[in-house]
Amino acid sequence: METTPLVEVDDLCKVFPVAGGAKIHAVEHVSLHVGRSETLAVVGESGCGKSTLAHLIMRLLDPTSGTVTLDGAEISGLGSRAMRPHRRKMQIIFQDPFASLDPRRSVGSAVAEPMKVHKTLSGSALDDRVAALFERVGLEPDQAEQYPHQFSGGQRQRICIARALALEPELVVADEAVSALDVSIQAQVINLMMDLQQEMGLSYLFISHDLAVVERISHRVAVMYLGQIVELGPRAAIFENPQHSYTKRLLDAVPIADPRARRERPLLVGDIPSPRWAAGESPERVELVEHEPGHFVAAE
Amino acid sequence: MFGAVLLLGILIMTFIVPLWYVKDPGDLIARPHLPPGSEGAPFLGTDNLGRDLLAIIVYGGRTTLRVAAGAAALIVFVGVTIGATAGYYGGWVDSALMRFTEFFQVLPGLLFAIVVVALFEPSFWAIAIAIGSISWPGIARLTRAEFLRLKNLEFVKAARAIGASDLRIIMRVILPNAMPTLIVSTTLIMGSAILFEAGLAFLGLADVNNPSWGLAIGRAKDFFTINWWAVTFPGLAIFATVLGLSLVGDGLQDALNPRLRGR
């Protein structure tokens, strides 16, 4: 059992219809897997479909085609009731720490909510668990009475992590989870996430556009461009030996702190092409070729 | 603040004052058309049949306020249920419910209410239902709009990711966040329900065994040239109540909106 990956995504597509019969191909034939206790980062620029991919895996959106398998069970076709037991195994942390907590509810009750919904704990056992979760993410248990607006962005993101951990999931999807935070707070939250991974054997699907953060946290990296994966491989391979021209340009765009180490680099110019296609048309499917073991590159 | 005081005064008048001002508003207690302050006249004078106008206003307020509250409860229940369902589920559910809502919205309100009350006897429930059935589309559309705004926020998505049921998300997550808007709108709707009740009663579509402000005005209007007070004082009572409700609604809007707080 341990040899099968925790999450397997096979040929997943999501097409949004828009007015006039045109379609947005947000996610196109994406196949990937996340191993146990592994962090797979998905990188790409805004609008490349990486958040849609996260929502599809979490079943917050229904895929147009393709399958998602979680812990050996296919979840992509399940109704909301059948989905419930599987929801305990995966949780999501969103980008905006100010929008992801209900402003009218104390943060303690927000963290307790998953356990109430799944009826795993109640009464004083529930209170103890909430207090323990607060402590684990570096907050004072007595802050549970307070409301989200009384916390800073970093603290709120810790609360969201506590909520995500409440059901002891195996997969945590972090959808740009640290992108809205200051750099120093980012590092703290990233360290917390990495500690939790060690401790609980969590798997992360880490969606980000920030390559510096990705280099720190990920084991493997998938590069997305216009809804398709153009390069997928171990972190070292992607960062030190990028093969696809888009990956190279993304890496070139990372600022370098030391001016003497800077080099001439071709900047990304213009916007990425639109994923919008007129009725009857669809994007060309790219094929991934194994460049070296575990390192896949789209043919150009 | 002024609105709250005004409203409190009206409530005291209609629900507390009758505890010691024990009168039957139907009793003929003095000569007809006695102006207020004249000899032998009750505090606000008498109407065309010699009934105590103050008693009519005090006891009539109960009928008016009860019908308005009943109608408002009905409006909120139907409007929120339909609006929440339409906004949350979207798609064809939304389309179907909104066409249904529009059907009620384009009905000529007063005419429809007259038909409803005329078909059934003009009892408390018939009048409340008549007012309710023409006024709920506003709340339904407002609720739908709030649900459309809130349902894609991340804390709602987080609740879905947890596996919360639709009912739980609607009742425990989205509705509490839509509450400020709905509360404000409800106070304003109560004001218009009072006006509606008074309008129907003025036209004679009221339970004649129960005094009400609209009924009092409707009956006294024929004698307006010789008896101004029997029209004016019930009219002032309606005016004060609706004004009070509007001011309270306004005040609540400011109080419940954190961005306007402390202004």
Side-chain angles (χ1 to χ4, degrees):
Chain A
M1 195 65 205
E2 288 302 310
T3 51
T4 60
L6 179 61
V7 182
E8 274 188 282
V9 173
D10 187 38
D11 205 22
L12 202 62
C13 295
K14 179 66 185 179
V15 179
F16 293 103
V18 289
K23 288 172 296 198
I24 304 276
H25 289 253
V27 171
E28 273 286 295
H29 304 289
V30 166
S31 300
L32 50 80
H33 70 269
V34 185
R36 291 168 198 272
S37 305
E38 184 192 49
T39 302
L40 173 70
V42 178
V43 299
E45 53 195 299
S46 306
C48 73
K50 53 193 193 301
S51 277
T52 307
L53 177 65
H55 283 63
L56 288 172
I57 292 171
M58 286 300 299
R59 281 302 310 281
L60 293 171
L61 285 172
D62 294 328
T64 307
S65 66
T67 58
V68 178
T69 310
L70 174 69
D71 206 6
E74 190 186 322
I75 57 166
S76 33
L78 297 179
S80 62
R81 201 171 288 266
M83 192 60 214
R84 278 184 82 175
H86 297 288
R87 294 231 181 258
R88 292 182 58 171
K89 293 185 189 161
M90 55 179 189
Q91 282 300 312
I92 186 164
I93 307 166
F94 292 101
Q95 170 170 17
D96 185 353
F98 288 90
S100 48
L101 289 168
D102 187 342
R104 295 187 169 266
R105 190 170 250 242
S106 74
V107 293
S109 121
V111 172
E113 178 83 356
M115 292 171 286
K116 283 189 192 153
V117 166
H118 288 275
K119 301 189 175 67
T120 55
L121 289 173
S122 61
S124 63
L126 179 61
D127 295 340
D128 292 347
R129 172 90 174 122
V130 170
L133 282 165
F134 266 72
E135 232 162 319
R136 184 61 200 89
V137 298
L139 296 166
E140 298 294 323
D142 55 9
Q143 290 177 299
E145 303 289 307
Q146 296 176 353
Y147 285 83
H149 70 263
Q150 293 167 287
F151 293 90
S152 68
Q155 287 175 317
R156 281 162 164 249
Q157 211 56 303
R158 287 171 189 269
I159 295 162
C160 292
I161 292 173
R163 176 175 61 185
L165 295 178
L167 294 168
E168 295 172 357
E170 293 175 54
L171 173 73
V172 172
V173 175
D175 184 4
E176 300 271 16
V178 297
S179 307
L181 306 176
D182 291 347
V183 178
S184 57
I185 309 291
Q186 258 184 10
Q188 292 173 10
V189 173
I190 292 287
N191 287 343
L192 172 64
M193 288 177 72
M194 290 170 76
D195 289 350
L196 290 167
Q197 182 167 46
Q198 287 250 302
E199 211 172 286
M200 306 172 64
L202 291 171
S203 302
Y204 289 124
L205 182 74
F206 194 87
I207 311 277
S208 182
H209 62 260
D210 186 339
L211 291 167
V213 169
V214 166
E215 189 169 13
R216 174 144 173 72
I217 197 171
S218 65
H219 299 114
R220 288 189 305 130
V221 180
V223 180
M224 255 181 114
Y225 178 70
L226 276 180
Q228 316 205 25
I229 289 183
V230 294
E231 189 159 2
L232 173 69
R235 169 180 58 181
I238 297 288
F239 280 92
E240 282 148 32
N241 186 21
Q243 293 299 313
H244 196 272
S245 60
Y246 181 69
T247 315
K248 288 177 189 163
R249 281 187 293 161
L250 268 187
L251 289 169
D252 281 340
V254 176
I256 296 165
D258 181 358
R260 282 164 301 182
R262 284 181 195 157
R263 59 200 183 279
E264 276 301 308
R265 54 189 189 187
L267 286 173
L268 288 168
V269 281
D271 291 332
I272 53 169
S274 167
R276 179 188 170 122
W277 295 79
E281 291 177 42
S282 63
E284 198 182 326
R285 182 172 177 176
V286 300
E287 295 295 335
L288 290 176
V289 183
E290 193 159 18
H291 172 70
E292 52 195 13
H295 186 180
F296 298 87
V297 184
E300 287 183 88
Chain B
M1 197 52 217
F2 174 67
V5 172
L6 203 60
L7 214 54
L8 198 68
I10 301 278
L11 287 176
I12 288 174
M13 182 186 87
T14 48
F15 289 96
I16 312 277
V17 167
L19 295 182
W20 50 267
Y21 194 76
V22 188
K23 290 267 162 65
D24 184 343
D27 277 353
L28 313 179
I29 55 152
R31 283 192 297 116
H33 302 308
L34 274 182
S38 63
E39 206 188 328
F43 184 60
L44 288 179
T46 59
D47 70 355
N48 58 309
L49 295 176
R51 293 177 297 194
D52 181 351
L53 195 59
L54 180 62
I56 290 177
I57 290 177
V58 166
Y59 286 85
R62 282 185 174 187
T63 318
T64 302
L65 292 181
R66 261 165 43 194
V67 169
L74 214 63
I75 290 166
V76 169
F77 179 73
V78 175
V80 168
T81 308
I82 288 186
T85 312
Y88 184 76
Y89 289 102
W92 66 268
V93 178
D94 183 26
S95 303
L97 287 174
M98 279 303 108
R99 293 305 85 74
F100 180 68
T101 307
E102 277 157 17
F103 170 75
F104 277 88
Q105 209 165 16
V106 297
L107 283 177
L110 191 59
L111 280 179
F112 181 75
I114 289 172
V115 170
V116 170
V117 178
L119 280 178
F120 308 96
E121 61 195 274
S123 63
F124 169 78
W125 280 112
I127 296 168
I129 288 171
I131 297 172
S133 57
I134 53 160
S135 305
W136 65 266
I139 281 276
R141 298 187 72 97
L142 187 70
T143 310
R144 172 177 174 267
E146 282 292 288
F147 269 64
L148 288 178
R149 175 175 74 82
L150 293 162
K151 77 169 176 185
N152 286 322
L153 291 185
E154 288 183 341
F155 65 83
V156 180
K157 282 190 199 160
R160 284 174 58 207
I162 283 164
S165 63
D166 287 351
L167 188 67
R168 190 183 178 98
I169 293 174
I170 291 173
M171 299 299 290
R172 301 281 307 274
V173 183
I174 306 185
L175 200 55
N177 282 286
M179 247 14 231
T181 318
L182 294 179
I183 287 172
V184 169
S185 175
T186 303
T187 55
L188 300 178
I189 275 180
M190 279 199 70
S192 70
I194 287 174
L195 288 177
F196 226 106
E197 191 276 338
L200 285 176
F202 179 83
L203 294 172
L205 295 162
D207 185 354
V208 285
N209 297 315
N210 277 325
S212 89
W213 294 340
L215 196 62
I217 299 176
R219 282 194 180 139
K221 70 176 189 299
D222 298 338
F223 311 97
F224 183 61
T225 46
I226 53 168
N227 184 343
W228 57 266
W229 53 92
V231 177
T232 308
F233 291 114
L236 281 177
I238 294 172
F239 167 74
T241 312
V242 177
L243 180 69
L245 281 167
S246 299
L247 289 174
V248 165
D250 238 25
L252 282 176
Q253 188 148 37
D254 292 352
L256 295 173
N257 186 342
R259 266 166 296 180
L260 294 176
R261 210 172 281 161
R263 199 172 66 175

